[in-house]
Amino acid sequence: MAVQTTMVVTRDVEDRYRGFLTSVMLEIAPGVYVSPQMSQGVRERVWSVLADWWTALGRGSVVMT
């Protein structure tokens, strides 16, 4: 199984994103989060939470790679 690094970059979003993302990832710079070994299930759950919040709040941007 290949190891996949996950990165999330946020810009101009509410503080709740930072709190949530730092609970599952390392913040390497303001708004930039990485996890060197995130399972597919965790990655999908994280994206689901971020997408739901963005839909409800509609501010800023969130990118996951």
Side-chain angles (χ1 to χ4, degrees):
M1 174 171 52
V3 174
Q4 294 185 355
T5 299
T6 302
M7 178 183 287
V8 175
V9 180
T10 63
R11 194 189 83 213
D12 194 30
V13 294
E14 288 79 3
D15 290 338
R16 69 171 67 185
Y17 290 86
R18 184 176 194 191
F20 173 67
L21 288 169
T22 57
S23 74
V24 293
M25 303 176 85
L26 177 64
E27 185 175 21
I28 60 170
V32 180
Y33 307 86
V34 296
S35 178
Q37 296 182 343
M38 184 178 282
S39 72
Q40 180 179 350
V42 172
R43 189 170 47 253
E44 289 172 355
R45 176 66 178 140
V46 167
W47 183 252
S48 175
V49 169
L50 298 177
D52 287 348
W53 286 350
W54 192 88
T55 299
L57 301 169
R59 179 177 144 202
S61 65
V62 180
V63 176
M64 178 183 274
T65 181

Short mmCIF file of all heavy atoms in Angstrom, two decimals:
data_model
loop_
_atom_site.label_atom_id
_atom_site.label_comp_id
_atom_site.label_asym_id
_atom_site.label_seq_id
_atom_site.Cartn_x
_atom_site.Cartn_y
_atom_site.Cartn_z
N MET A 1 0.84 -1.18 0.00
CA MET A 1 0.00 0.00 0.00
C MET A 1 0.89 1.24 0.00
O MET A 1 1.80 1.37 0.79
CB MET A 1 -0.91 -0.01 1.23
CG MET A 1 -1.71 1.25 1.36
SD MET A 1 -3.00 1.26 2.61
CE MET A 1 -2.20 0.76 4.08
N ALA A 2 0.62 2.15 -0.91
CA ALA A 2 1.40 3.38 -1.00
C ALA A 2 0.95 4.37 0.07
O ALA A 2 -0.23 4.47 0.38
CB ALA A 2 1.22 4.01 -2.38
N VAL A 3 1.92 5.08 0.61
CA VAL A 3 1.63 6.12 1.59
C VAL A 3 1.27 7.39 0.84
O VAL A 3 1.98 7.79 -0.09
CB VAL A 3 2.85 6.36 2.51
CG1 VAL A 3 2.61 7.54 3.42
CG2 VAL A 3 3.17 5.11 3.29
N GLN A 4 0.17 8.01 1.23
CA GLN A 4 -0.26 9.24 0.57
C GLN A 4 -0.25 10.38 1.57
O GLN A 4 -0.83 10.26 2.65
CB GLN A 4 -1.66 9.09 -0.01
CG GLN A 4 -1.73 8.10 -1.13
CD GLN A 4 -3.12 8.05 -1.75
OE1 GLN A 4 -4.05 8.69 -1.30
NE2 GLN A 4 -3.24 7.29 -2.81
N THR A 5 0.41 11.46 1.22
CA THR A 5 0.39 12.65 2.04
C THR A 5 -0.83 13.47 1.66
O THR A 5 -1.12 13.66 0.48
CB THR A 5 1.67 13.49 1.83
OG1 THR A 5 2.79 12.69 2.21
CG2 THR A 5 1.64 14.75 2.65
N THR A 6 -1.55 13.93 2.66
CA THR A 6 -2.73 14.77 2.44
C THR A 6 -2.40 16.18 2.87
O THR A 6 -1.81 16.39 3.93
CB THR A 6 -3.93 14.25 3.24
OG1 THR A 6 -4.18 12.89 2.86
CG2 THR A 6 -5.16 15.09 3.01
N MET A 7 -2.79 17.16 2.05
CA MET A 7 -2.58 18.56 2.38
C MET A 7 -3.90 19.30 2.21
O MET A 7 -4.64 19.06 1.26
CB MET A 7 -1.53 19.19 1.47
CG MET A 7 -1.31 20.67 1.72
SD MET A 7 -0.12 21.43 0.59
CE MET A 7 1.37 20.74 1.21
N VAL A 8 -4.18 20.20 3.15
CA VAL A 8 -5.34 21.08 3.08
C VAL A 8 -4.83 22.51 3.21
O VAL A 8 -4.03 22.81 4.09
CB VAL A 8 -6.36 20.78 4.19
CG1 VAL A 8 -7.50 21.79 4.16
CG2 VAL A 8 -6.90 19.36 4.07
N VAL A 9 -5.30 23.37 2.32
CA VAL A 9 -4.96 24.79 2.37
C VAL A 9 -6.26 25.56 2.50
O VAL A 9 -7.19 25.36 1.72
CB VAL A 9 -4.19 25.23 1.10
CG1 VAL A 9 -3.85 26.72 1.17
CG2 VAL A 9 -2.92 24.40 0.92
N THR A 10 -6.31 26.43 3.52
CA THR A 10 -7.49 27.26 3.73
C THR A 10 -7.11 28.73 3.60
O THR A 10 -5.98 29.11 3.86
CB THR A 10 -8.09 27.03 5.14
OG1 THR A 10 -7.15 27.43 6.13
CG2 THR A 10 -8.49 25.58 5.34
N ARG A 11 -8.10 29.52 3.22
CA ARG A 11 -7.89 30.97 3.13
C ARG A 11 -9.18 31.68 3.49
O ARG A 11 -10.24 31.35 2.96
CB ARG A 11 -7.46 31.36 1.72
CG ARG A 11 -6.90 32.79 1.65
CD ARG A 11 -6.68 33.24 0.26
NE ARG A 11 -8.00 33.72 -0.17
CZ ARG A 11 -8.49 33.65 -1.38
NH1 ARG A 11 -7.81 33.14 -2.34
NH2 ARG A 11 -9.69 34.08 -1.65
N ASP A 12 -9.07 32.61 4.42
CA ASP A 12 -10.20 33.46 4.80
C ASP A 12 -11.42 32.65 5.25
O ASP A 12 -12.54 32.88 4.80
CB ASP A 12 -10.57 34.39 3.64
CG ASP A 12 -11.50 35.52 4.08
OD1 ASP A 12 -11.42 35.94 5.24
OD2 ASP A 12 -12.32 35.95 3.25
N VAL A 13 -11.17 31.68 6.15
CA VAL A 13 -12.26 30.87 6.68
C VAL A 13 -12.39 31.10 8.19
O VAL A 13 -11.49 31.64 8.82
CB VAL A 13 -12.06 29.36 6.40
CG1 VAL A 13 -12.12 29.07 4.91
CG2 VAL A 13 -10.75 28.85 6.99
N GLU A 14 -13.49 30.66 8.77
CA GLU A 14 -13.73 30.81 10.19
C GLU A 14 -12.75 29.98 11.02
O GLU A 14 -12.19 29.01 10.54
CB GLU A 14 -15.18 30.39 10.53
CG GLU A 14 -16.24 31.36 10.05
CD GLU A 14 -16.56 31.24 8.56
OE1 GLU A 14 -15.99 30.37 7.87
OE2 GLU A 14 -17.39 32.03 8.09
N ASP A 15 -12.58 30.37 12.29
CA ASP A 15 -11.63 29.71 13.19
C ASP A 15 -11.95 28.23 13.41
O ASP A 15 -11.05 27.45 13.71
CB ASP A 15 -11.60 30.42 14.54
CG ASP A 15 -10.94 31.78 14.47
OD1 ASP A 15 -10.16 32.03 13.52
OD2 ASP A 15 -11.19 32.60 15.38
N ARG A 16 -13.20 27.83 13.24
CA ARG A 16 -13.56 26.43 13.48
C ARG A 16 -12.78 25.49 12.57
O ARG A 16 -12.47 24.36 12.94
CB ARG A 16 -15.05 26.19 13.31
CG ARG A 16 -15.54 26.32 11.87
CD ARG A 16 -16.96 25.87 11.66
NE ARG A 16 -17.90 26.74 12.32
CZ ARG A 16 -19.20 26.50 12.35
NH1 ARG A 16 -19.71 25.43 11.77
NH2 ARG A 16 -20.02 27.32 12.94
N TYR A 17 -12.44 25.93 11.36
CA TYR A 17 -11.66 25.10 10.44
C TYR A 17 -10.30 24.78 11.06
O TYR A 17 -9.84 23.64 11.02
CB TYR A 17 -11.45 25.80 9.10
CG TYR A 17 -12.69 25.93 8.25
CD1 TYR A 17 -13.56 27.00 8.42
CD2 TYR A 17 -12.97 25.01 7.25
CE1 TYR A 17 -14.69 27.14 7.62
CE2 TYR A 17 -14.09 25.15 6.44
CZ TYR A 17 -14.95 26.21 6.64
OH TYR A 17 -16.06 26.35 5.85
N ARG A 18 -9.66 25.79 11.59
CA ARG A 18 -8.32 25.60 12.18
C ARG A 18 -8.38 24.62 13.35
O ARG A 18 -7.56 23.72 13.46
CB ARG A 18 -7.75 26.93 12.63
CG ARG A 18 -6.34 26.79 13.14
CD ARG A 18 -5.75 28.14 13.51
NE ARG A 18 -4.30 27.99 13.67
CZ ARG A 18 -3.55 28.92 14.20
NH1 ARG A 18 -4.08 30.06 14.58
NH2 ARG A 18 -2.27 28.71 14.32
N GLY A 19 -9.36 24.81 14.22
CA GLY A 19 -9.49 23.91 15.36
C GLY A 19 -9.70 22.47 14.93
O GLY A 19 -9.07 21.55 15.46
N PHE A 20 -10.58 22.27 13.97
CA PHE A 20 -10.86 20.92 13.49
C PHE A 20 -9.63 20.31 12.80
O PHE A 20 -9.24 19.19 13.09
CB PHE A 20 -12.05 20.94 12.54
CG PHE A 20 -12.32 19.62 11.87
CD1 PHE A 20 -12.74 18.53 12.60
CD2 PHE A 20 -12.13 19.47 10.51
CE1 PHE A 20 -12.99 17.31 11.99
CE2 PHE A 20 -12.37 18.27 9.88
CZ PHE A 20 -12.80 17.17 10.63
N LEU A 21 -9.04 21.08 11.89
CA LEU A 21 -7.91 20.53 11.12
C LEU A 21 -6.71 20.24 12.00
O LEU A 21 -6.02 19.24 11.78
CB LEU A 21 -7.55 21.47 9.97
CG LEU A 21 -8.57 21.48 8.83
CD1 LEU A 21 -8.29 22.62 7.87
CD2 LEU A 21 -8.56 20.15 8.10
N THR A 22 -6.44 21.07 13.00
CA THR A 22 -5.29 20.80 13.87
C THR A 22 -5.54 19.60 14.78
O THR A 22 -4.60 19.08 15.37
CB THR A 22 -4.88 22.03 14.70
OG1 THR A 22 -5.99 22.46 15.48
CG2 THR A 22 -4.34 23.14 13.83
N SER A 23 -6.79 19.14 14.88
CA SER A 23 -7.06 17.93 15.66
C SER A 23 -6.68 16.66 14.90
O SER A 23 -6.53 15.60 15.51
CB SER A 23 -8.52 17.88 16.10
OG SER A 23 -9.38 17.56 15.03
N VAL A 24 -6.53 16.76 13.57
CA VAL A 24 -6.21 15.58 12.77
C VAL A 24 -4.98 15.75 11.88
O VAL A 24 -4.51 14.78 11.29
CB VAL A 24 -7.41 15.16 11.88
CG1 VAL A 24 -8.56 14.66 12.72
CG2 VAL A 24 -7.85 16.28 10.97
N MET A 25 -4.45 16.98 11.80
CA MET A 25 -3.32 17.25 10.90
C MET A 25 -2.34 18.21 11.59
O MET A 25 -2.68 18.84 12.59
CB MET A 25 -3.81 17.86 9.58
CG MET A 25 -4.83 17.02 8.84
SD MET A 25 -5.47 17.81 7.36
CE MET A 25 -4.19 17.34 6.19
N LEU A 26 -1.17 18.33 11.02
CA LEU A 26 -0.16 19.27 11.49
C LEU A 26 -0.25 20.55 10.68
O LEU A 26 -0.25 20.51 9.44
CB LEU A 26 1.23 18.64 11.32
CG LEU A 26 2.43 19.50 11.71
CD1 LEU A 26 2.40 19.82 13.21
CD2 LEU A 26 3.72 18.78 11.35
N GLU A 27 -0.32 21.70 11.36
CA GLU A 27 -0.35 22.99 10.67
C GLU A 27 1.09 23.45 10.48
O GLU A 27 1.78 23.80 11.43
CB GLU A 27 -1.14 24.03 11.47
CG GLU A 27 -1.29 25.35 10.72
CD GLU A 27 -2.18 26.35 11.44
OE1 GLU A 27 -2.36 26.22 12.67
OE2 GLU A 27 -2.68 27.26 10.76
N ILE A 28 1.58 23.42 9.24
CA ILE A 28 2.97 23.74 8.96
C ILE A 28 3.20 25.21 8.65
O ILE A 28 4.33 25.69 8.66
CB ILE A 28 3.55 22.86 7.83
CG1 ILE A 28 2.77 23.06 6.54
CG2 ILE A 28 3.56 21.40 8.26
CD1 ILE A 28 3.44 22.41 5.34
N ALA A 29 2.14 25.91 8.33
CA ALA A 29 2.16 27.36 8.09
C ALA A 29 0.71 27.81 8.29
O ALA A 29 -0.20 26.99 8.25
CB ALA A 29 2.65 27.68 6.68
N PRO A 30 0.49 29.10 8.49
CA PRO A 30 -0.89 29.55 8.67
C PRO A 30 -1.80 29.11 7.50
O PRO A 30 -1.53 29.41 6.35
CB PRO A 30 -0.77 31.07 8.71
CG PRO A 30 0.62 31.31 9.22
CD PRO A 30 1.44 30.20 8.61
N GLY A 31 -2.80 28.31 7.83
CA GLY A 31 -3.75 27.85 6.83
C GLY A 31 -3.30 26.69 5.98
O GLY A 31 -3.98 26.29 5.04
N VAL A 32 -2.14 26.08 6.31
CA VAL A 32 -1.61 24.95 5.54
C VAL A 32 -1.44 23.76 6.49
O VAL A 32 -0.68 23.83 7.44
CB VAL A 32 -0.26 25.29 4.87
CG1 VAL A 32 0.27 24.10 4.08
CG2 VAL A 32 -0.39 26.52 3.99
N TYR A 33 -2.14 22.67 6.19
CA TYR A 33 -2.18 21.50 7.06
C TYR A 33 -1.73 20.27 6.27
O TYR A 33 -2.10 20.11 5.11
CB TYR A 33 -3.60 21.28 7.58
CG TYR A 33 -4.17 22.51 8.23
CD1 TYR A 33 -4.81 23.48 7.47
CD2 TYR A 33 -4.04 22.72 9.59
CE1 TYR A 33 -5.33 24.63 8.06
CE2 TYR A 33 -4.54 23.86 10.19
CZ TYR A 33 -5.18 24.82 9.42
OH TYR A 33 -5.67 25.95 9.99
N VAL A 34 -0.94 19.40 6.92
CA VAL A 34 -0.50 18.18 6.26
C VAL A 34 -0.64 16.98 7.19
O VAL A 34 -0.61 17.11 8.41
CB VAL A 34 0.98 18.26 5.78
CG1 VAL A 34 1.16 19.33 4.74
CG2 VAL A 34 1.92 18.46 6.94
N SER A 35 -0.81 15.84 6.57
CA SER A 35 -0.81 14.56 7.28
C SER A 35 -0.11 13.56 6.38
O SER A 35 -0.58 13.28 5.27
CB SER A 35 -2.24 14.10 7.57
OG SER A 35 -2.20 12.84 8.21
N PRO A 36 1.02 13.01 6.83
CA PRO A 36 1.78 12.10 5.97
C PRO A 36 1.13 10.74 5.78
O PRO A 36 1.44 10.06 4.81
CB PRO A 36 3.12 11.97 6.67
CG PRO A 36 2.85 12.30 8.10
CD PRO A 36 1.70 13.27 8.09
N GLN A 37 0.23 10.32 6.67
CA GLN A 37 -0.36 8.99 6.56
C GLN A 37 -1.83 9.01 6.97
O GLN A 37 -2.21 8.46 7.98
CB GLN A 37 0.40 7.99 7.43
CG GLN A 37 1.82 7.78 6.99
CD GLN A 37 2.52 6.75 7.84
OE1 GLN A 37 2.07 6.42 8.93
NE2 GLN A 37 3.61 6.22 7.35
N MET A 38 -2.66 9.63 6.18
CA MET A 38 -4.09 9.70 6.48
C MET A 38 -4.81 8.64 5.65
O MET A 38 -4.65 8.59 4.43
CB MET A 38 -4.63 11.09 6.16
CG MET A 38 -6.09 11.29 6.53
SD MET A 38 -6.69 12.95 6.20
CE MET A 38 -6.00 13.83 7.59
N SER A 39 -5.61 7.82 6.32
CA SER A 39 -6.34 6.77 5.60
C SER A 39 -7.41 7.40 4.71
O SER A 39 -7.85 8.54 4.93
CB SER A 39 -6.98 5.80 6.58
OG SER A 39 -8.07 6.41 7.24
N GLN A 40 -7.85 6.65 3.75
CA GLN A 40 -8.89 7.13 2.84
C GLN A 40 -10.17 7.47 3.60
O GLN A 40 -10.81 8.48 3.32
CB GLN A 40 -9.19 6.09 1.77
CG GLN A 40 -10.27 6.53 0.80
CD GLN A 40 -10.56 5.50 -0.28
OE1 GLN A 40 -9.83 4.53 -0.43
NE2 GLN A 40 -11.62 5.71 -1.03
N GLY A 41 -10.54 6.65 4.57
CA GLY A 41 -11.75 6.90 5.34
C GLY A 41 -11.69 8.20 6.12
O GLY A 41 -12.65 8.98 6.14
N VAL A 42 -10.56 8.44 6.77
CA VAL A 42 -10.38 9.68 7.52
C VAL A 42 -10.37 10.87 6.57
O VAL A 42 -11.01 11.89 6.82
CB VAL A 42 -9.10 9.65 8.38
CG1 VAL A 42 -8.82 11.00 9.01
CG2 VAL A 42 -9.20 8.57 9.45
N ARG A 43 -9.67 10.73 5.46
CA ARG A 43 -9.61 11.81 4.47
C ARG A 43 -11.01 12.17 3.95
O ARG A 43 -11.36 13.35 3.86
CB ARG A 43 -8.69 11.39 3.31
CG ARG A 43 -8.36 12.47 2.33
CD ARG A 43 -7.26 12.06 1.34
NE ARG A 43 -7.43 10.74 0.75
CZ ARG A 43 -6.70 9.67 1.05
NH1 ARG A 43 -5.74 9.74 1.94
NH2 ARG A 43 -6.92 8.52 0.45
N GLU A 44 -11.81 11.17 3.66
CA GLU A 44 -13.17 11.42 3.18
C GLU A 44 -14.03 12.08 4.25
O GLU A 44 -14.83 12.98 3.95
CB GLU A 44 -13.81 10.11 2.72
CG GLU A 44 -13.20 9.60 1.43
CD GLU A 44 -13.68 8.21 1.04
OE1 GLU A 44 -14.45 7.58 1.82
OE2 GLU A 44 -13.28 7.74 -0.04
N ARG A 45 -13.87 11.69 5.50
CA ARG A 45 -14.64 12.29 6.60
C ARG A 45 -14.22 13.75 6.80
O ARG A 45 -15.07 14.61 6.98
CB ARG A 45 -14.44 11.49 7.89
CG ARG A 45 -15.12 12.09 9.08
CD ARG A 45 -16.64 12.06 8.93
NE ARG A 45 -17.24 12.62 10.13
CZ ARG A 45 -18.28 13.42 10.13
NH1 ARG A 45 -18.88 13.72 9.01
NH2 ARG A 45 -18.74 13.91 11.25
N VAL A 46 -12.93 14.01 6.79
CA VAL A 46 -12.43 15.38 6.93
C VAL A 46 -13.01 16.25 5.82
O VAL A 46 -13.52 17.35 6.07
CB VAL A 46 -10.89 15.43 6.94
CG1 VAL A 46 -10.36 16.85 6.78
CG2 VAL A 46 -10.34 14.81 8.23
N TRP A 47 -12.94 15.77 4.58
CA TRP A 47 -13.46 16.56 3.47
C TRP A 47 -14.96 16.79 3.61
O TRP A 47 -15.47 17.87 3.32
CB TRP A 47 -13.14 15.91 2.12
CG TRP A 47 -13.63 16.78 1.01
CD1 TRP A 47 -14.70 16.54 0.19
CD2 TRP A 47 -13.12 18.06 0.64
NE1 TRP A 47 -14.86 17.59 -0.67
CE2 TRP A 47 -13.91 18.54 -0.41
CE3 TRP A 47 -12.07 18.84 1.12
CZ2 TRP A 47 -13.67 19.78 -1.00
CZ3 TRP A 47 -11.84 20.07 0.52
CH2 TRP A 47 -12.64 20.53 -0.53
N SER A 48 -15.69 15.78 4.07
CA SER A 48 -17.13 15.92 4.26
C SER A 48 -17.45 17.03 5.26
O SER A 48 -18.34 17.86 5.02
CB SER A 48 -17.71 14.59 4.73
OG SER A 48 -19.08 14.72 5.03
N VAL A 49 -16.74 17.06 6.37
CA VAL A 49 -16.95 18.12 7.38
C VAL A 49 -16.62 19.48 6.78
O VAL A 49 -17.41 20.43 6.91
CB VAL A 49 -16.09 17.86 8.64
CG1 VAL A 49 -16.10 19.07 9.56
CG2 VAL A 49 -16.58 16.61 9.37
N LEU A 50 -15.48 19.60 6.11
CA LEU A 50 -15.08 20.89 5.52
C LEU A 50 -16.08 21.36 4.47
O LEU A 50 -16.45 22.54 4.43
CB LEU A 50 -13.68 20.78 4.91
CG LEU A 50 -12.54 20.46 5.88
CD1 LEU A 50 -11.23 20.30 5.12
CD2 LEU A 50 -12.42 21.49 6.99
N ALA A 51 -16.53 20.44 3.63
CA ALA A 51 -17.48 20.80 2.57
C ALA A 51 -18.82 21.23 3.16
O ALA A 51 -19.42 22.21 2.69
CB ALA A 51 -17.67 19.62 1.62
N ASP A 52 -19.28 20.53 4.20
CA ASP A 52 -20.54 20.91 4.85
C ASP A 52 -20.44 22.30 5.45
O ASP A 52 -21.36 23.12 5.32
CB ASP A 52 -20.93 19.90 5.93
CG ASP A 52 -21.41 18.58 5.37
OD1 ASP A 52 -21.67 18.50 4.14
OD2 ASP A 52 -21.51 17.61 6.15
N TRP A 53 -19.33 22.59 6.14
CA TRP A 53 -19.15 23.91 6.74
C TRP A 53 -19.10 24.98 5.66
O TRP A 53 -19.69 26.04 5.79
CB TRP A 53 -17.89 23.97 7.58
CG TRP A 53 -18.00 23.26 8.89
CD1 TRP A 53 -19.14 22.75 9.47
CD2 TRP A 53 -16.94 22.98 9.80
NE1 TRP A 53 -18.83 22.17 10.67
CE2 TRP A 53 -17.50 22.30 10.90
CE3 TRP A 53 -15.58 23.21 9.79
CZ2 TRP A 53 -16.74 21.88 11.99
CZ3 TRP A 53 -14.81 22.81 10.87
CH2 TRP A 53 -15.39 22.14 11.95
N TRP A 54 -18.35 24.71 4.59
CA TRP A 54 -18.23 25.73 3.54
C TRP A 54 -19.58 25.99 2.89
O TRP A 54 -19.93 27.14 2.61
CB TRP A 54 -17.20 25.33 2.49
CG TRP A 54 -16.88 26.49 1.62
CD1 TRP A 54 -15.93 27.44 1.81
CD2 TRP A 54 -17.57 26.85 0.42
NE1 TRP A 54 -15.98 28.36 0.82
CE2 TRP A 54 -16.98 28.04 -0.05
CE3 TRP A 54 -18.61 26.30 -0.29
CZ2 TRP A 54 -17.41 28.67 -1.22
CZ3 TRP A 54 -19.05 26.93 -1.44
CH2 TRP A 54 -18.44 28.10 -1.90
N THR A 55 -20.37 24.95 2.68
CA THR A 55 -21.70 25.12 2.11
C THR A 55 -22.57 25.99 3.02
O THR A 55 -23.29 26.87 2.55
CB THR A 55 -22.37 23.76 1.87
OG1 THR A 55 -21.57 23.01 0.95
CG2 THR A 55 -23.77 23.91 1.31
N ALA A 56 -22.49 25.75 4.32
CA ALA A 56 -23.31 26.50 5.28
C ALA A 56 -22.81 27.93 5.47
O ALA A 56 -23.61 28.86 5.61
CB ALA A 56 -23.33 25.78 6.62
N LEU A 57 -21.50 28.12 5.48
CA LEU A 57 -20.92 29.43 5.80
C LEU A 57 -20.55 30.24 4.56
O LEU A 57 -20.59 31.47 4.60
CB LEU A 57 -19.70 29.25 6.71
CG LEU A 57 -19.98 28.54 8.03
CD1 LEU A 57 -18.68 28.16 8.73
CD2 LEU A 57 -20.86 29.37 8.93
N GLY A 58 -20.12 29.55 3.50
CA GLY A 58 -19.85 30.19 2.21
C GLY A 58 -18.79 31.26 2.20
O GLY A 58 -18.88 32.21 1.43
N ARG A 59 -17.77 31.13 3.03
CA ARG A 59 -16.73 32.16 3.09
C ARG A 59 -15.37 31.53 2.87
O ARG A 59 -15.09 30.44 3.35
CB ARG A 59 -16.77 32.83 4.46
CG ARG A 59 -15.73 33.90 4.64
CD ARG A 59 -15.88 34.58 5.99
NE ARG A 59 -14.54 34.89 6.48
CZ ARG A 59 -14.24 35.09 7.74
NH1 ARG A 59 -15.17 35.02 8.66
NH2 ARG A 59 -13.01 35.37 8.09
N GLY A 60 -14.49 32.20 2.17
CA GLY A 60 -13.12 31.75 2.00
C GLY A 60 -13.00 30.61 1.00
O GLY A 60 -13.87 30.38 0.18
N SER A 61 -11.87 29.91 1.12
CA SER A 61 -11.63 28.78 0.22
C SER A 61 -10.92 27.66 0.97
O SER A 61 -10.18 27.90 1.92
CB SER A 61 -10.80 29.22 -1.00
OG SER A 61 -9.51 29.61 -0.59
N VAL A 62 -11.18 26.44 0.50
CA VAL A 62 -10.57 25.24 1.07
C VAL A 62 -10.18 24.34 -0.09
O VAL A 62 -10.99 24.05 -0.96
CB VAL A 62 -11.56 24.48 2.00
CG1 VAL A 62 -10.89 23.24 2.58
CG2 VAL A 62 -12.08 25.40 3.09
N VAL A 63 -8.93 23.88 -0.07
CA VAL A 63 -8.43 22.97 -1.10
C VAL A 63 -7.78 21.79 -0.41
O VAL A 63 -6.99 21.98 0.52
CB VAL A 63 -7.39 23.67 -2.01
CG1 VAL A 63 -6.80 22.69 -3.01
CG2 VAL A 63 -8.00 24.86 -2.71
N MET A 64 -8.12 20.57 -0.85
CA MET A 64 -7.46 19.37 -0.33
C MET A 64 -6.78 18.65 -1.49
O MET A 64 -7.36 18.50 -2.56
CB MET A 64 -8.46 18.43 0.32
CG MET A 64 -7.84 17.13 0.83
SD MET A 64 -9.03 15.97 1.52
CE MET A 64 -9.15 16.56 3.20
N THR A 65 -5.55 18.24 -1.24
CA THR A 65 -4.83 17.46 -2.25
C THR A 65 -4.13 16.30 -1.58
O THR A 65 -3.85 16.33 -0.40
CB THR A 65 -3.83 18.33 -3.02
OG1 THR A 65 -3.18 17.54 -4.00
CG2 THR A 65 -2.80 18.94 -2.13
#
